[in-house]
Amino acid sequence: RTVEALANVAGAALVLDAGVLERIDRWTDQVAVRYGLDRAGFDAGNRKQAHVPVGAAVLGMAGTAPGLVLPVDGSIVVVLPGVPSELRRLWADAPEHAALADIFARATPRARWLMRTYGIGESHVADIHRSAGGDPPGVETSICARSFEIEIDIRADPGHDGAGAELAAKMRAELGGHLFATDERPLSEIVLDL
């Protein structure tokens, strides 16, 4: 549905991409053999997924969903599969794609401060964030409970690094001994470092 909606917005016809269809067929052929399924049962879905809007470039394939890049009204739209592992594989290829190279060359990443806590509730972390002044302009904080820990992710737009660093410092001071990591390493690796 996403590709169909994008084609409608762009005013572009959907056409069957033989190369995409061939790659999808290879994938589903392997699935059919592995699980003893009738290969013909995949044909209609494969053909549907192999239609791309005229003017779109294929970013790559992960599973049966092609990643697409399409200029629309002066913007570049990137369509990625919804399965997280497939999305990550295709997104890793995005900076190298010719249609996106200029965008990535001009992009300025946001500054980031990550804090991971243990033994403190999400609402208590939210209270600490509020008492530290909350998000100043150009700074965005997300607080998320995940696997028995609370992750605080502070991001600052370019030019707002100082405000983001100040908020992160205030929160670190208030979190005290509840703070156990400032990176994304798995807990097992952090424990091994202790």
Side-chain angles (χ1 to χ4, degrees), residues 1-2 7 11 13 30 41 46 48 59 73 80 93 95 126 131 153-154:
R1 293 183 185 201
T2 303
Q30 292 171 355
N46 290 2
K48 182 179 185 298
L59 175 62
D73 296 331
L80 297 168
D93 295 339
S131 71
D153 194 348
I154 300 172

Side-chain angles (χ1 to χ4, degrees), residues 41-81:
F42 292 100
D43 286 342
N46 290 2
R47 289 186 66 78
K48 182 179 185 298
Q49 282 192 283
H51 280 79
V52 300
V54 170
V58 177
L59 175 62
M61 298 280 298
T64 61
L68 302 174
V69 179
L70 180 67
V72 179
D73 296 331
S75 296
I76 302 288
V77 178
V78 179
V79 177
L80 297 168

Side-chain angles (χ1 to χ4, degrees), residues 169-192:
K170 287 178 183 177
M171 290 193 69
R172 265 195 303 273
E174 288 295 318
L175 291 167
H178 294 290
L179 180 65
F180 73 88
T182 56
D183 61 26
E184 295 176 341
R185 287 180 298 158
L187 187 56
S188 59
E189 289 180 21
I190 294 168
V191 170
L192 291 174

